Structure formats: structure tokens, C-alpha cells
Amino acid sequence: KNQVEQSPQSLIILEGKNCTLQCNYTVSPFSNLRWYKQDTGRGPVSLTIMTFSENTKSNGRYTATLDADTKQSSLHITASQLSDSASYICVVSAGRNKLVFGAGTILRVKS
Amino acid sequence: DGGITQSPKYLFRKEGQNVTLSCEQNLNHDAMYWYRQDPGQGLRLIYYSQIVNDFQKGDIAEGYSVSREKKESFPLTVTSAQKNPTAFYLCASSIVADFSYEQYFGPGTRLTVT
């Protein structure tokens, strides 16, 4: 069964601190893995997209890693800001015909 | 939110009434999608359309209907047959109907049925 599991479910950190969100997947066939940021009450916005051959990809203070052997990905946020408070969703493309969404990690950055 | 608009942002309906959610895109994308988002769950695909006048059922199509008369527009009707319609609905589009391609999401419509 195709599944994407994210951890933790929620996380609270202080402004300026770093954090790492995890994504484990069992999806076949694998095309790519994406991380989205979703602000409350808004649509998801793409942060990164990685194919099988890519180990890491950055977008500003966001860095995603992919280990295709262990089927794990992480999203590292550096020097967090209040505006980073959002839900972060891991999505895996299972070929041309399916996307599998994780339930998301809710991040709250406190001042 | 790119070039995808959804309206209204909030929608309230009484049980037993059909309701139509609007989705428009100006990205010249061929493919459009409707997803449903519930708390603590991943997005679930309702319907998608590869091209004008064509659409395919997703994982949870029961109680929903769509049309694709124009490339820019993909409205979703939530019918009275949908048992639990209260949810956040997201429309998306991509260049082609290939799930390995990037999808761009609209801002969403929150539907509450009482």
C-alpha cells in the first residue's frame, strides 16, 4: 500500500532556532518527492521537488534531503521565523498516475 | 496561489442542498484537479480533468460531480449524496495530466454544511 508518513505531527520552536521535519514513504513506483508549505486557510505552495537521483535541494532557509535507499526525506528549516508557522506536507509521486500525500507536520514558531 | 482562483473562500449550506465551488486558472494548464482536505489527513483526490470535456474519478468521487467546458474553468458540485461534505476543498492545475509534474494550488474553499 502506498503511504507517506510524517513526523512529528506538530512542533513548537522558538524564533531563530532550527528544526527538521521527517517524511518516510512506501510508494512505488517512485517519480519524485515534494515538500509543500501550507499556511492556515490557504493552498499549499511548493518548496522543493526532488527526483530519485537528487540527495539534497535548497530553497532559501529550507533544505530538503532524500535517501531513496531508506525511503526517507527530511526538511530542515534554518533560523526559523514567525512566518514559518504553517503545515508542511510531504508528497510523493507514484509515477504518472498518482500522488500520495502525507498528513503534514504543523509547525509553530514562537517569539 | 499562482494563477488559480477559487471562490468563495467560505461557503455555508444546509444539508440536502447541492453547492458548486468555482475554480479558474489563467496558467494555460491542460490539467485540473479537485482535492479534499480534512484535519489530520492527507489530501484526497476527488476528480481530475486532462483536457476540456474530459474528466476522471479520483479516490473519493462519490457524491461529487464536475464539468470542464472551458480550459480555464473546472467547477465542483457537492451533491446532497455526499455524506460528510464539510471540508476544505482545494483546486490545482498542472501543465499536463501527469502526476509526476508539479501541481499549483488555489487558495481553497472551506465548505460547512449544517
Side-chain angles (χ1 to χ4, degrees), chain A residues 7-59:
Chain A
S7 62
Q9 283 188 327
S10 62
L11 182 62
I12 301 174
I13 61 173
L14 289 175
E15 188 178 13
K17 297 296 186 182
N18 303 337
C19 68
T20 300
L21 313 181
Q22 301 289 343
C23 173
N24 296 337
Y25 62 93
T26 52
V27 175
S28 181
F30 176 89
S31 287
N32 56 60
L33 184 146
R34 313 162 195 185
W35 283 94
Y36 283 89
K37 178 186 179 188
Q38 184 177 23
D39 292 321
T40 301
R42 307 295 301 273
V45 175
S46 179
L47 293 174
T48 63
I49 179 168
M50 292 183 291
T51 60
F52 185 88
S53 59
E54 295 175 294
N55 299 121
T56 185
K57 184 164 277 190
S58 292
N59 178 356

Coordinates of all heavy atoms in Angstrom, one line a residue, chain A residues 7-59:
Chain A
S7 N 6.5 13.0 10.5 CA 6.7 13.1 11.9 C 7.6 14.4 12.2 O 8.4 14.7 11.4 CB 7.3 11.9 12.6 OG 8.6 11.7 12.0
P8 N 7.4 15.0 13.3 CA 6.3 14.8 14.3 C 5.0 15.3 13.7 O 5.0 16.0 12.6 CB 6.7 15.6 15.5 CG 7.5 16.8 14.9 CD 8.2 16.2 13.7
Q9 N 3.9 15.1 14.4 CA 2.6 15.6 13.9 C 2.6 17.1 14.1 O 2.0 17.9 13.3 CB 1.4 15.0 14.7 CG 1.1 13.6 14.3 CD -0.2 13.1 15.0 OE1 -0.5 13.5 16.2 NE2 -1.0 12.3 14.3
S10 N 3.2 17.6 15.2 CA 3.2 19.0 15.4 C 4.5 19.4 16.2 O 5.1 18.5 16.8 CB 2.0 19.5 16.2 OG 1.9 18.9 17.5
L11 N 4.9 20.6 16.1 CA 6.2 21.0 16.7 C 6.1 22.5 17.0 O 5.6 23.3 16.2 CB 7.3 20.8 15.6 CG 8.7 21.1 15.9 CD1 9.2 20.2 17.0 CD2 9.6 20.8 14.7
I12 N 6.7 22.8 18.2 CA 6.7 24.3 18.6 C 8.2 24.6 18.8 O 8.9 23.9 19.6 CB 5.9 24.5 19.9 CG1 4.5 24.2 19.7 CG2 6.1 26.0 20.3 CD1 3.6 24.3 21.0
I13 N 8.7 25.6 18.2 CA 10.1 26.0 18.4 C 10.2 27.5 18.6 O 9.2 28.3 18.2 CB 11.0 25.7 17.2 CG1 10.5 26.4 15.9 CG2 11.0 24.1 17.0 CD1 11.4 26.1 14.7
L14 N 11.3 28.0 19.1 CA 11.5 29.4 19.3 C 12.1 30.1 18.1 O 12.9 29.4 17.4 CB 12.4 29.7 20.5 CG 11.9 29.4 21.9 CD1 12.9 29.6 23.0 CD2 10.6 30.3 22.2
E15 N 11.7 31.3 17.8 CA 12.2 32.0 16.7 C 13.7 32.0 16.7 O 14.3 32.2 17.7 CB 11.6 33.5 16.8 CG 11.9 34.3 15.6 CD 11.3 35.7 15.7 OE1 10.9 36.1 16.8 OE2 11.2 36.4 14.7
G16 N 14.3 31.8 15.5 CA 15.7 31.8 15.4 C 16.3 30.4 15.5 O 17.5 30.2 15.0
K17 N 15.6 29.4 16.0 CA 16.1 28.1 16.1 C 15.9 27.3 14.8 O 15.1 27.7 14.0 CB 15.3 27.3 17.2 CG 15.6 27.9 18.6 CD 17.0 27.9 19.0 CE 17.2 28.3 20.5 NZ 18.6 28.3 20.9
N18 N 16.6 26.2 14.7 CA 16.5 25.3 13.5 C 15.6 24.2 13.9 O 15.4 23.8 15.1 CB 17.9 24.7 13.1 CG 18.9 25.8 12.8 OD1 18.5 26.9 12.5 ND2 20.2 25.5 13.0
C19 N 15.0 23.5 12.9 CA 14.2 22.3 13.1 C 14.3 21.4 11.9 O 14.6 21.9 10.8 CB 12.8 22.7 13.4 SG 11.8 23.4 12.1
T20 N 14.0 20.2 12.1 CA 13.9 19.2 11.0 C 12.7 18.4 11.1 O 12.3 17.8 12.1 CB 15.2 18.2 11.1 OG1 16.4 19.0 11.0 CG2 15.1 17.2 10.0
L21 N 12.0 18.3 9.9 CA 10.8 17.5 9.8 C 11.1 16.3 9.0 O 11.9 16.3 8.0 CB 9.7 18.3 9.1 CG 9.5 19.8 9.6 CD1 8.4 20.5 8.8 CD2 9.3 19.8 11.0
Q22 N 10.4 15.2 9.3 CA 10.7 13.9 8.7 C 9.6 13.4 7.8 O 8.4 13.6 8.1 CB 11.0 12.8 9.8 CG 12.2 13.2 10.7 CD 13.5 13.1 10.0 OE1 13.6 12.5 8.9 NE2 14.5 13.7 10.6
C23 N 9.9 12.6 6.8 CA 9.0 12.0 5.9 C 9.5 10.6 5.5 O 10.6 10.5 5.0 CB 8.8 12.9 4.7 SG 7.7 12.2 3.4
N24 N 8.7 9.6 5.8 CA 9.0 8.2 5.4 C 7.9 7.8 4.4 O 6.7 8.0 4.6 CB 9.0 7.3 6.6 CG 10.1 7.6 7.6 OD1 11.1 8.3 7.2 ND2 10.0 7.2 8.8
Y25 N 8.4 7.1 3.4 CA 7.4 6.7 2.4 C 7.6 5.3 1.9 O 8.6 4.7 1.9 CB 7.4 7.7 1.2 CG 8.8 7.7 0.4 CD1 9.0 6.8 -0.7 CD2 9.8 8.5 0.8 CE1 10.2 6.8 -1.4 CE2 11.0 8.5 0.1 CZ 11.2 7.7 -0.9 OH 12.4 7.6 -1.6
T26 N 6.4 4.7 1.5 CA 6.5 3.4 0.9 C 5.6 3.6 -0.4 O 4.4 3.3 -0.3 CB 5.9 2.3 1.8 OG1 4.6 2.7 2.3 CG2 6.8 2.0 2.9
V27 N 6.2 4.1 -1.4 CA 5.5 4.4 -2.6 C 6.2 3.8 -3.8 O 7.4 3.9 -3.9 CB 5.4 5.9 -2.8 CG1 4.7 6.2 -4.2 CG2 4.6 6.5 -1.7
S28 N 5.5 3.1 -4.7 CA 6.1 2.5 -5.8 C 5.1 2.6 -7.0 O 3.9 2.3 -6.9 CB 6.4 1.0 -5.5 OG 7.0 0.4 -6.7
P29 N 5.6 2.9 -8.2 CA 7.0 3.4 -8.5 C 7.2 4.8 -8.0 O 6.3 5.5 -7.8 CB 7.1 3.3 -10.0 CG 5.6 3.6 -10.4 CD 4.8 2.9 -9.4
F30 N 8.5 5.2 -7.8 CA 8.8 6.5 -7.3 C 9.2 7.4 -8.5 O 10.1 7.0 -9.3 CB 10.0 6.4 -6.3 CG 10.4 7.7 -5.8 CD1 9.9 8.3 -4.7 CD2 11.5 8.4 -6.4 CE1 10.3 9.5 -4.2 CE2 11.9 9.6 -6.0 CZ 11.3 10.2 -4.8
S31 N 8.6 8.6 -8.5 CA 9.0 9.6 -9.5 C 9.7 10.7 -8.9 O 10.8 11.1 -9.3 CB 7.8 10.1 -10.3 OG 7.3 9.1 -11.2
N32 N 9.1 11.3 -7.9 CA 9.7 12.5 -7.2 C 9.0 12.7 -5.9 O 8.0 12.1 -5.6 CB 9.6 13.7 -8.1 CG 8.2 14.1 -8.5 OD1 7.4 14.4 -7.6 ND2 8.0 14.2 -9.8
L33 N 9.7 13.5 -5.0 CA 9.2 13.8 -3.7 C 9.2 15.3 -3.6 O 10.2 16.0 -3.9 CB 10.1 13.2 -2.6 CG 9.6 13.3 -1.2 CD1 9.9 12.1 -0.4 CD2 10.2 14.6 -0.5
R34 N 8.1 15.8 -3.0 CA 7.9 17.3 -2.9 C 7.6 17.6 -1.5 O 7.0 16.9 -0.8 CB 6.8 17.7 -3.8 CG 6.8 17.2 -5.2 CD 5.5 17.3 -5.9 NE 5.4 16.4 -7.1 CZ 4.5 16.4 -8.0 NH1 3.4 17.1 -7.8 NH2 4.5 15.6 -9.0
W35 N 8.0 18.8 -1.1 CA 7.6 19.4 0.1 C 6.8 20.7 -0.2 O 7.3 21.5 -1.0 CB 8.9 19.8 1.0 CG 9.5 18.6 1.7 CD1 10.5 17.9 1.2 CD2 9.1 18.1 2.9 NE1 10.8 16.9 2.2 CE2 10.0 17.0 3.2 CE3 8.1 18.4 3.9 CZ2 9.9 16.2 4.4 CZ3 8.1 17.6 5.0 CH2 8.9 16.6 5.3
Y36 N 5.7 20.8 0.5 CA 4.8 22.0 0.3 C 4.7 22.7 1.7 O 4.7 22.0 2.7 CB 3.4 21.6 -0.1 CG 3.3 21.2 -1.6 CD1 3.5 19.9 -2.0 CD2 3.0 22.2 -2.5 CE1 3.3 19.6 -3.4 CE2 2.8 21.9 -3.9 CZ 3.0 20.6 -4.3 OH 2.8 20.3 -5.6
K37 N 4.5 24.0 1.7 CA 4.2 24.7 2.8 C 2.7 25.2 2.7 O 2.4 25.8 1.6 CB 5.1 26.0 3.0 CG 4.8 26.8 4.2 CD 5.6 28.1 4.2 CE 5.3 29.0 5.3 NZ 5.9 30.3 5.3
Q38 N 1.9 25.0 3.7 CA 0.5 25.4 3.7 C 0.2 26.3 4.9 O 0.2 25.8 6.0 CB -0.4 24.2 3.6 CG -1.9 24.6 3.5 CD -2.8 23.5 3.4 OE1 -2.5 22.3 3.8 NE2 -4.0 23.7 2.8
D39 N 0.0 27.6 4.6 CA -0.4 28.5 5.7 C -1.9 28.2 6.0 O -2.6 27.7 5.1 CB -0.3 29.9 5.2 CG 1.2 30.3 5.1 OD1 2.0 29.9 5.9 OD2 1.5 31.1 4.1
T40 N -2.3 28.5 7.2 CA -3.6 28.2 7.7 C -4.7 28.8 6.7 O -4.6 30.0 6.5 CB -3.8 28.7 9.1 OG1 -2.9 28.1 9.9 CG2 -5.2 28.3 9.6
G41 N -5.6 28.0 6.2 CA -6.7 28.5 5.4 C -6.2 28.9 4.0 O -7.0 29.5 3.3
R42 N -5.1 28.4 3.6 CA -4.6 28.7 2.2 C -4.2 27.4 1.5 O -4.2 26.3 2.1 CB -3.3 29.6 2.3 CG -3.5 30.9 3.1 CD -4.5 31.8 2.5 NE -4.2 32.2 1.1 CZ -3.4 33.3 0.8 NH1 -2.9 34.0 1.8 NH2 -3.1 33.6 -0.4
G43 N -3.9 27.6 0.2 CA -3.5 26.4 -0.5 C -2.0 26.1 -0.3 O -1.2 27.0 0.0
P44 N -1.6 24.9 -0.6 CA -0.1 24.5 -0.4 C 0.7 25.2 -1.5 O 0.3 25.4 -2.6 CB -0.1 23.0 -0.6 CG -1.5 22.6 -0.4 CD -2.4 23.7 -0.8
V45 N 1.9 25.6 -1.1 CA 2.9 26.2 -2.0 C 4.1 25.4 -2.0 O 4.6 25.0 -1.0 CB 3.2 27.6 -1.6 CG1 4.3 28.2 -2.4 CG2 2.0 28.5 -1.6
S46 N 4.6 25.1 -3.2 CA 5.8 24.2 -3.4 C 7.1 24.8 -2.8 O 7.3 26.0 -3.1 CB 6.0 23.9 -4.8 OG 7.1 23.0 -5.0
L47 N 7.8 24.0 -2.1 CA 9.1 24.4 -1.5 C 10.2 23.8 -2.4 O 11.2 24.5 -2.8 CB 9.3 24.0 -0.1 CG 8.4 24.8 0.9 CD1 8.5 24.2 2.3 CD2 8.7 26.3 0.9
T48 N 10.2 22.5 -2.5 CA 11.2 21.7 -3.2 C 10.6 20.5 -3.9 O 9.5 20.0 -3.5 CB 12.3 21.2 -2.3 OG1 11.8 20.3 -1.4 CG2 13.0 22.3 -1.5
I49 N 11.2 20.1 -5.0 CA 10.9 18.8 -5.6 C 12.2 18.1 -6.0 O 13.1 18.7 -6.5 CB 10.0 19.1 -6.9 CG1 9.6 17.8 -7.6 CG2 10.7 20.0 -7.8 CD1 8.6 17.9 -8.6
M50 N 12.2 16.8 -5.6 CA 13.5 16.0 -5.8 C 13.2 14.7 -6.5 O 12.2 14.1 -6.2 CB 14.1 15.7 -4.5 CG 14.7 17.0 -3.8 SD 15.6 16.5 -2.3 CE 14.2 16.0 -1.3
T51 N 14.0 14.4 -7.5 CA 13.9 13.1 -8.2 C 14.8 12.1 -7.5 O 15.5 12.4 -6.5 CB 14.3 13.3 -9.7 OG1 15.6 13.7 -9.7 CG2 13.4 14.3 -10.4
F52 N 14.8 10.9 -8.0 CA 15.5 9.8 -7.4 C 17.0 10.1 -7.2 O 17.6 9.7 -6.3 CB 15.3 8.6 -8.3 CG 15.9 7.3 -7.8 CD1 15.1 6.5 -6.9 CD2 17.2 6.9 -8.1 CE1 15.7 5.3 -6.4 CE2 17.7 5.7 -7.6 CZ 17.0 4.9 -6.8
S53 N 17.5 10.8 -8.2 CA 19.0 11.0 -8.2 C 19.5 12.2 -7.4 O 20.7 12.4 -7.2 CB 19.5 11.2 -9.7 OG 18.8 12.3 -10.2
E54 N 18.5 12.9 -6.8 CA 18.9 14.1 -6.1 C 18.9 13.8 -4.6 O 17.9 13.3 -4.0 CB 17.9 15.3 -6.4 CG 18.0 15.7 -7.8 CD 17.0 16.8 -8.1 OE1 15.8 16.5 -8.1 OE2 17.4 17.9 -8.4
N55 N 20.0 14.2 -3.9 CA 20.1 13.9 -2.5 C 19.7 15.1 -1.6 O 19.2 15.0 -0.5 CB 21.5 13.6 -2.1 CG 22.0 12.3 -2.8 OD1 22.9 12.4 -3.6 ND2 21.3 11.2 -2.6
T56 N 19.8 16.3 -2.2 CA 19.5 17.5 -1.4 C 19.1 18.6 -2.3 O 19.6 18.7 -3.5 CB 20.7 17.9 -0.5 OG1 20.4 19.0 0.3 CG2 21.9 18.3 -1.4
K57 N 18.2 19.5 -1.8 CA 17.8 20.6 -2.6 C 17.4 21.7 -1.6 O 16.7 21.5 -0.6 CB 16.7 20.3 -3.5 CG 16.2 21.4 -4.4 CD 15.4 21.0 -5.6 CE 16.2 20.4 -6.7 NZ 15.4 20.2 -7.9
S58 N 17.9 22.9 -1.9 CA 17.6 24.1 -1.0 C 16.7 25.1 -1.7 O 16.7 25.3 -2.9 CB 18.9 24.7 -0.6 OG 19.7 23.8 0.2
N59 N 16.0 25.8 -0.8 CA 15.2 26.9 -1.3 C 15.2 27.9 -0.1 O 14.4 27.9 0.8 CB 13.7 26.5 -1.5 CG 12.8 27.6 -1.9 OD1 13.2 28.8 -1.9 ND2 11.6 27.3 -2.2

